[in-house]
Amino acid sequence: MPAWSSSWQLPDQIADVLPSEARHIEELRRLFLDTARSYGYELVMPPLLEHLESLLTGTGEALDLQTFKLVDQLSGRTLGLRADTTPQVARIDAHLLNRSGVARLCYCGPVLHTRADRPHATREPLQFGAEIYGHAGLEADLEAQRLALDCLKAAGVTDLMVDMADVRIVASLLAGASLGASTLAHIHAALAAKDASELGSLLASLSGGISSAAREGMMALLQLYGDEQVLLEAEKALPRLPGVHEALQNLKWLASHAPDVKVSFDLADLRGYAYYSGARFAIYGQGAELARGGRYDEVGAVFGRNRPAAGFSLDLKELVSVLPPRPLKAAICAPWGDDAMLNAAIARLRANGETVTCVLPGHENEVNEFDCDRELALKAGQWVVQPRH
């Protein structure tokens, strides 16, 4: 096969973004950053790669497996291409800003995954996120949810639903058990799949330390999903362990303060990275999961500052894929020429925010991303904008 025949092919689940979609993504990026700024969030830009131990320490095996690794030709040390931006923002909060009070930080940039986290997804998401450090109260959790919802509403997403859970429920039920990371991962997978047979077998195989009430509570989690009635059922079905009771009360409070949006619960849902430490949420709309977030108080501990933290992130590429395409951008067509008055008129229009496309000789009938609904025409010695015929 000739070398040129495959030179243009990209790796699996890596793709170019073409003009119409790229414009949509960029418009949403600006919109989301402006929305975050309206809440008081400051923009940070962490590097795409850094030393692997800094990138992954404390984040769990799942993120390690998602991370591309390479050797730095300058130092000989192993580097990682970030698969998630939150650990980097935690490092910035802990070591570079080092503020004693609240820090609100947002970001938007590419992340890379060794494998896509769902069928047909890209391995190069464009991750937007916002995080609040330094406040342990539920007000921070609620602010993260509200900002995520406001971003999605501004993007035109309708029929939004927030699904909530709390990782402390499962952690409290399993607190006395002696189990390794592999067993815990299998338990989480069985809970996510609602696989009662597999979960029962895994719990039976534990070497001890888990009470019969905790085992029954774990099995009950498989049925504890739905509307707010789930929280009442959970109070009856789950043992009154401190972590379980606090988690249920927090979920009640968050649900009661949720904005005008549908709320549901799935108390067996533990999806996401290992650094979540409390209430977590996923936001659905357009038939897909669009954003994910929650509380992750431990994420900065490895950097020497164990600060309270909550936030969310989403993939702009995935969001654009489920939204209706944008209409063509309105523009003004102008003839190409050396006339000083013509060029001055074009400059004024562009300075006022208009898109002006100069039609090069011989290309009068070409179609591109712009809808030239007006044209610049010479009338009585003046260049004026008029509707295009």
Side-chain angles (χ1 to χ4, degrees), residues 38 143 175 189 240 250 254 269 278-279 289 323 327 342 351 358 378 388:
S38 76
E143 181 172 295
R240 289 186 64 82
N250 286 355
L254 288 169
D269 184 5
E289 180 186 307
L323 291 175
L342 169 62
C358 288
L378 186 62
R388 196 178 187 197

Side-chain angles (χ1 to χ4, degrees), residues 183-261:
T183 302
L184 183 60
H186 283 97
I187 289 175
H188 288 177
L191 286 168
K194 303 290 189 290
D195 189 336
S197 175
E198 176 68 8
L199 180 60
S201 298
L202 289 167
L203 294 175
S205 70
L206 296 182
S207 58
I210 181 171
S211 67
S212 59
R215 290 176 190 270
E216 292 173 3
M218 288 290 295
M219 297 302 296
L221 288 177
L222 301 177
Q223 306 300 323
L224 292 175
Y225 58 91
D227 59 19
E228 292 186 45
Q229 185 67 27
V230 164
L231 300 183
L232 300 177
E233 296 172 2
E235 289 182 334
K236 300 174 184 176
L238 301 179
R240 289 186 64 82
L241 299 171
V244 173
H245 178 71
E246 181 183 1
L248 293 176
Q249 294 305 307
N250 286 355
L251 290 174
K252 280 185 179 180
W253 188 90
L254 288 169
S256 69
H257 287 78
D260 185 20
V261 66

